[in-house]
Amino acid sequence: MNICILAALHGSDETLTTRVGDDEADRAAARCAHRIERAISAHGGRLIEATRERTLARFDDANAAIQAAVDALDRIRNLPPLRGRKHPARLGVHVGALSTEMGKPSGEGVVQALRIANQCEAEQALASAQAIARLGSAARHLVASRPVAGLDTSRLDVTVHEIGHGKAEAVRQPLAQRNERLQLRHRNGVVHVEEIRPVVLLGRELGNDIVIGDPRASRQHARIERRHEGFILFDESTNGTYVAVEGQVERLVRQDRLLLTGQGRIGCGFACEEGDEREIVFFDFE
């Protein structure tokens, strides 16, 4: 069966090791792997292999795979710099056959995705024409219109395009030009995240915009920012932030970020099904 495969290579190389040392290079590789796994999970992918050197995931939808790759690069590029070196993360996306016999992923889809990733530079993602052909409007703007030139074609028998380079700033309408705003409801109060109030703070301290009374919430628990790409929740807590979007499985965000979509509930330090409903923050878009 053909499936969309995302392959990520994140092992440290000799050049990076020479520049920052073995320990720091290993830590950088581990940080990249962690953020790649977070991006995969955030976009509905399923891990089929996760080792020190590489991560493989499957997606039922090519749009989600491309978005996960771009999200992973964003998370990695936000990491602290490595003395002038890029982080060891190279991602390839391809649609092809997948087999998991004997518990080891194989098949043309896996082989080609790994070959594509191996042709990437650090902090780069490439996708095959086969994957791009399956894209809809949700992710097509994330793909370069022209194929990548100058690759070692003897190692590839597919055409590839770069994804996530410059993303969509030149194509997508800036958020500031839209009228959309995020409505947050807590107890009897309503707070809006909008152009005139682009950041809202949540936490146990009285100085927050939304004060959470549950003791599991941190004093400065989380913030929601209005950015070009949408409304982003950033968790800064000890116990994490639970986000339950209507029609989806509840997610735990811990020391990470999540793009808010649709309508749903936010639990600061507790799962939405387990907490006091008075302390849950309900959100939707207007």
Side-chain angles (χ1 to χ4, degrees), residues 180-185 189-200 209-210 224 226 231 284-286:
E180 187 177 59
R181 63 179 182 171
L182 179 66
Q183 176 177 260
L184 303 171
R185 291 178 286 113
V190 177
V191 176
H192 292 99
V193 189
E194 53 192 332
E195 186 174 0
I196 61 173
R197 189 182 197 171
V199 180
V200 167
D209 300 298
I210 296 178
I224 298 174
R226 183 181 189 272
F231 295 85
D284 57 63
F285 291 86
E286 293 185 329

Side-chain angles (χ1 to χ4, degrees), residues 150-176:
L151 295 181
D152 185 353
T153 54
S154 65
R155 297 178 179 272
L156 290 175
D157 52 12
V158 295
T159 301
V160 296
H161 296 244
E162 187 168 8
I163 54 180
H165 180 67
K167 293 189 293 185
E169 275 69 16
V171 179
R172 294 161 59 192
Q173 182 184 25
L175 184 60

